[in-house]
Amino acid sequence: MGTPQGDHLGPYRLLSRLGAGGFGEVHLALDPEGRTVAVKVLHPHVAADTRALARLAREVEAMRRVRGRHIAEVLDASLDGRSPYLVTRYIQGRPLNAVVAVEGPVHGEELVRLARGLSEALMAIHESGVIHRDLKPSNVILADGEPVVIDFGIAAVVDSASVTASGAVLGTPGYLAPEVLEGQETRTEGDIFAFAATLAFAATGREPYGTGSVAAIGYRVVHHEPDLEGVPDWLAAVLRDCLAPDPAARPTAGEIHGRLPGVVGAAGPPPPKPRSDTFSRARIPVAPPAPAAGPAYAEPPPARSKADPLPPPVSGSGGDVHSLSTREWRPGQPDPRPPAEVAMRRRRARVRLIWIIGTGVVAALGAAAARSALPEVSLLLLAAYGSGVAIDAAVGLFARKDVGRALLSAGSGVGAVALFFLLSSIFSTFTLALAFATVIVVLVVLVVAG
């Protein structure tokens, strides 16, 4: 398959690696318009399976039509290159399993909000003709208290025999329905089972079918009742129906949503409205898809004026990275912070400027101090610094196409030579040697302190 070239993959600039799963590696990226997206690059054993890619390609067009405030929409796809990938809306938040691990089980209105949000997500997915196939706590992101489902539909590739043989994960034990474990095809009823298992975990903090080996958990799923102790009564009845061994006995996502209580005093954001954007293409080399409207983002909340301060982050109860809360930027919202790549570029430029000027001053001072007693050392210092800035200028001019960098490097070299002659003509050798020794001592102290 090959890896993405440099820090780009197609039109997307990769910023950082977010994680990896059974099907691919996820990167935080910027689209051509500077918006944050999540890019999932498929693993080599998946990309090498033409049958798997063909099946995924058939589902991508349906996946792109799935929209909702509780869905990380599929925005783009490229399945015909050396590095096949999918692009989805990036959700800033924490996975449900991480939230439960740090803060404990979900209770009260937060549990109601979670249940309603997941049921709405499944309604949107199933009404578009897509099956999630791998719903579990780690595929549910909590953003500002609302659940958002990620990675829906991509698990279609596991039905390819060669991908399965290559080691792709078929699913998570305890969240796969009994009929799936027995070899039947995954249908919407399997998502309902996974929905209930996910909510049971959220409400109790325990796996509904316990822990242990894959075989042991699978046996309990098929032959034992789930552990629902501690689940509120209003939810327990719904979960028992959803976890029924017979798929035909399970309710649909719409029926589940109708049985859940409402969220008190929280109307939630308005429903999403489709709008066209730059993601109207799908570079998929299978049968030409019928023209379809471009995917849409979930409708953003009203834009905040520049005078309004950002809301303060909510502190978590844990002491590690999972306890941190984040805010999601959505298209249409002003973001007072520069993009991550811009901030990093500015920081690199400042560090490089300080380094080039600082080393030039030290080299000129050392060369001036050694001019009388050790002329060879003086020449060596100037030559070493001059060679370094010349190489840096060449890299900036020819490799980076950065004329400003090249001019700065060349100017620093000329300035170091001029400073050498100026210091030599004004100060005595003893004074220059004392100054040079002082600078070296200060630098050593700074390095040790750092």
Side-chain angles (χ1 to χ4, degrees), residues 309-330:
L310 285 171
V314 180
S315 298
S317 59
D320 61 355
V321 68
H322 296 304
S323 66
L324 301 177
S325 295
T326 58
R327 290 185 297 270
E328 176 188 357
W329 173 83
R330 297 188 178 112

Side-chain angles (χ1 to χ4, degrees), residues 438-450:
T438 302
V439 170
I440 295 300
V441 170
V442 171
L443 291 178
V444 171
V445 171
L446 292 176
V447 170
V448 172

